[in-house]
Every structure is written in structure tokens, then in C-alpha cells.
């Protein structure tokens, strides 16, 4: 079997953990498998690099940020190769250039386009464990790029797809995918399996387990993913195709406090306004999530939308630079999204109503609502997020 194993920052945070990961990989290697390992930077090293950069320049050029970021992952893979060699197993570390992993040009938010697999195959044939830097790519200018925070998951799935791996294991500091974040909802339960679509919604909604683009890729190429803990040997959660799992209506509840609401008040009520607003935002790569447009009155209307907190200020700047025909624009960062996700809800009426009832029972006001086939999301006050998650989790009896 060819197995891609990805370990996040906490799993390689110190010497003991590096050796722990090395041993886990060596077990598979000694069982005769081909092993490709993808690593993140150690612990919170990426955050430390950001602090260092901002201490020098509060608005560092994105290209230079990527140049800086890549050393975090490069450090992990080199140390890991040393650990494996120390344990008597041949291993080799490779960065994005050496592989090579080609990406789009956008610094800080690049997408992988193509991965050359020859070098990795060659090293595997020589019976080496191959350790690859997560998070990074190279663009057509031969510059380093990065895939966005948490992007190493995506590197792992992309490699698994390119190498036609038998499975892609994502090791993290939790046992798998839960019905809710166990730090926020104590009686949350681990799921044995979720569908790609469910995981995609959960990841996008800030379940915090997987980089959402890794799930998109896994779905597209049918990569079998397993999310499991690097600290114990429990089975984890399988992410795979198919529909409804465990005969459950709702599989999980997600909360995302990194949400801001931007409201543009008094726009002209005429054709093309929404297009112009969101086109301007799209040109600046600002990701929009929920959108609400008010009923027009006296020739004007309001448009509000949500985005992550960092993008909110930039959104305001873009709107102010491109438009003058509105009354006011306002940002509220004290909001959070709470969502329920489940492949089973497509064919069941009343799921949304049940969620709203749970919030009503807890006296929590809903400020915006959006839905997809397998998800219902509400925007509420940020300080009520955990209480809302608990109430909804209980309402659907997800802990049982
Ligand atoms: N080291 C990067 C980050 O902290 C990438 C990753 O961990 O996946 O975002
Ligand atoms: Mg992560």
C-alpha cells in the first residue's frame, strides 16, 4: 500500500513528539508499505513567524511572507528525516521545489495545480520514507507560495491524489471528527464516518479539523481520508463518498466566531447593484459567506454580508473606494455563525424549524439565516455561540 500521512503542528511540537511520529511512520514502513509523510511547522511556529514579520513591517509584502513561512515546514521535515535516520531507517525530506509542487501565483492563498511525482516515486523505489513540506507550492515565477493557513491538509490530499495513494491519514490532536467541537460542547461524540459533503460543510464552517480545500480535493479525486489522533491509536473518522451516514438527520454542529457582518445601507434599488458590489469584492479576493438583501423601499435597499474578521476592514475599504451612492457602511465583529450539517436533512422537512426552536428556547436572537441542501446556518451574537451550539446539539440529541 502507498500511505500518505500528514501530521499537524502539535504532533511535531517537540523532540519527543517528532520521535513519536517517526516511530508511527516506521511501523507502516516496516510492514512493507510505501510511506509519504507531510508535515506542518512545529507547534505555533507559523504564528511566531507572523509576529516576527509584523514587528518589522505591519504590512509585509505577501511574497516575502511566503518566503518566510516556508522555513517553518522545511525545519520540520529536515528534523523528521534526521529522527528517522537516527532510528535506522532511510528517509529523505523534500520541499515544494524539490518535488515539485506547482501552484497558482497568488501569494498567501495559492492553489496547487500540478504535482510532479517522479522524484517521490524514485525515492520510494529506493525504499526511503519521503517527508514533504506541507503548506507550500512554487509558482510560475519560481517563487514560493503558501496555500493559506492550515494548508498542509490540502498538500497531503493533493499528494495522495497525484500518487494514487491507497489512503490519506490526517493526524491531529483530536480523535477524529466530532458532532461538535468538544472544547465547546462537552458531550460531543466522535463520528465513525462522515461524507465528503458533510465534512466540506463542517470544514468550511470552522469545525477546525480540516482545511476545507483538502476535502474538496478528496471528493474530486475520491481520496479516502481518515482523521485520527497522533497521540493515541484510536480509529478516527473516515471521510468518504456516499450519502447519509449512521441514519442521522444531522451529523454535527459547527460554530465560527471568526465572522464579521458588513452592512451597506441605502444603496440604489436598481439592476446591477449586487453585481457591482460583489464583483468589486471578488476582485480583491474577499470571500463572502452569507448574503442578505433587504426589500427595497423609497428607491433604496440594504445589502449585508458576512466574511471573516480579517477581511471585513478590507471589504469596507473596497466598498468606499468603489462606490459613493449609499448612505452608510457598518462592520460588526461581535457575531458568530452556528450551523447544523447532515446529509440526511435533504429529504426531511422541519430540521431548520427544530434548530430555530432550540435557539428560541435559549432566548437567542437570529440575525441572518442561510441554508444549503445539507446545512442550516444562523448568524447570532458572538458571546452566545457556545450556548447556542450546546442547545442545538442537545435538541438533535447528538451526544447520545
Ligand atoms: N503551518 C501552517 C499554518 O500554521 C500550515 C498548516 O499548519 O497546515 O497554518
Ligand atoms: Mg490544521
Amino acid at each position: 500500500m502507498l500511505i500518505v500521512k500528514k501530521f499537524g503542528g502539535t504532533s511535531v511540537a517537540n523532540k519527543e513528539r517528532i520521535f513519536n511520529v517517526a516511530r508511527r511512520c516506521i511501523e507502516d514502513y516496516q510492514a512493507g508499505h510505501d510511506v509519504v509523510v507531510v508535515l506542518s511547522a512545529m507547534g505555533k511556529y507559523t504564528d511566531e513567524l507572523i509576529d516576527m514579520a509584523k514587528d518589522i513591517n505591519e504590512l509585509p509584502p505577501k511574497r516575502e511572507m511566503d518566503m518566510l513561512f516556508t522555513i517553518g515546514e522545511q525545519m520540520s521535515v529536515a528534523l523528521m528525516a534526521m529522527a528517522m535516520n537516527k532510528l535506522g531507517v532511510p528517509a529523505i525530506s523534500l520541499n515544494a521545489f524539490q518535488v515539485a509542487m506547482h501552484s497558482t501565483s497568488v501569494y498567501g492563498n495559492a492553489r496547487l495545480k500540478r504535482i510532479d511525482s517522479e522524484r517521490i516515486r524514485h525515492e520510494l523505489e529506493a525504499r526511503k520514507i519521503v517527508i514533504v513540506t506541507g503548506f507550500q507550492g512554487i509558482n510560475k515565477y519560481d517563487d514560493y507560495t503558501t496555500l493559506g493557513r492550515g494548508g498542509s491538509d490540502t498538500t497531503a490530499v493533493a499528494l495522495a491524489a497525484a500518487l494514487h495513494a491507497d489512503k490519506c491519514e490526517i493526524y491531529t490532536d483530536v480523535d477524529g471528527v466530532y458532532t461538535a467541537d468538544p472544547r465547546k460542547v462537552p458531550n460531543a461524540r466522535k463520528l465513525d464516518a462522515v461524507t465528503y459533503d458533510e465534512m466540506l460543510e463542517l470544514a468550511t464552517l470552522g469545525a477546525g479539523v480540516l482545511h476545507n480545500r483538502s476535502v474538496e480535493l478528496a471528493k474530486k479525486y475520491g481520496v479516502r481520508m481518515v482523521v485520527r489522533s497522533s497521540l493515541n491509536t484510536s480509529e478516527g473518522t473516515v471521510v468518504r463518498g456516499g450519502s447519509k451516514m449512521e441514519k442521522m438527520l444531522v451529523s454535527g454542529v459547527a460554530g465560527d466566531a471568526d465572522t464579521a457582518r458588513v452592512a451597506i445601507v441605502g444603496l440604489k434599488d436598481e439592476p446591477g447593484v449586487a453585481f457591482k458590489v460583489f464583483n468589486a469584492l471578488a476582485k480583491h479576493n474577499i470571500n463572502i459567506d452569507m448574503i442578505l438583501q433587504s426589500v427595497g423601499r423609497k428607491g433604496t435597499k440594504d445589502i449585508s454580508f458576512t466574511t471573516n474578521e480579517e477581511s471585513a476592514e478590507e471589504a469596507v475599504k473596497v466598498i468606499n473606494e468603489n462606490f459613493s451612492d449609499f448612505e452608510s457602511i457598518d462592520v460588526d465583529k461581535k457575531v458568530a455563525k452556528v450551523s447544523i450539517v447532515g446529509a440526511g436533512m435533504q429529504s426531511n422537512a422541519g430540521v431548520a424549524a427544530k434548530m430555530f426552536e432550540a435557539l428560541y428556547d435559549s432566548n437567542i436572537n437570529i440575525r441572518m439565516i442561510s441554508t444549503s441542501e445539507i446545512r442550516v446556518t444562523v448568524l447570532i451574537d458572538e458571546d452566545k455561540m457556545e450556548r447556542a451550539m450546546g442547545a442545538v446539539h442537545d435538541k438533535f440529541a447528538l451526544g447520545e
Side-chain angles (χ1 to χ4, degrees), residues 106 109 280-287 311:
V106 204
N109 194 25
L281 295 169
K283 277 198 181 132
H284 287 81
N285 276 312
I286 298 173
N287 276 326
S311 303

Side-chain angles (χ1 to χ4, degrees), residues 51-100:
D51 291 343
M52 269 185 240
K54 298 222 158 144
D55 191 35
I56 288 189
N57 179 345
E58 7 10 291
L59 266 183
K62 288 194 169 153
R63 179 192 180 276
E64 302 309 329
M65 271 322 287
D66 283 357
M67 191 71 181
L68 184 66
F69 276 146
T70 49
I71 67 172
E73 272 66 18
Q74 191 148 326
M75 180 167 146
S76 304
V77 295
L79 292 172
M80 184 61 69
M82 292 176 196
M84 290 179 180
N85 279 280
K86 175 86 182 170
L87 295 172
V89 172
I92 183 168
S93 66
L94 299 174
N95 66 17
F97 260 107
Q98 293 166 318
V99 168

Side-chain angles (χ1 to χ4, degrees), residues 128-141:
K128 287 182 197 162
I129 296 182
V130 181
I131 311 161
V132 181
T133 48
F135 185 44
Q136 53 183 253
I138 52 170
N139 68 14
K140 63 180 177 211
Y141 310 112

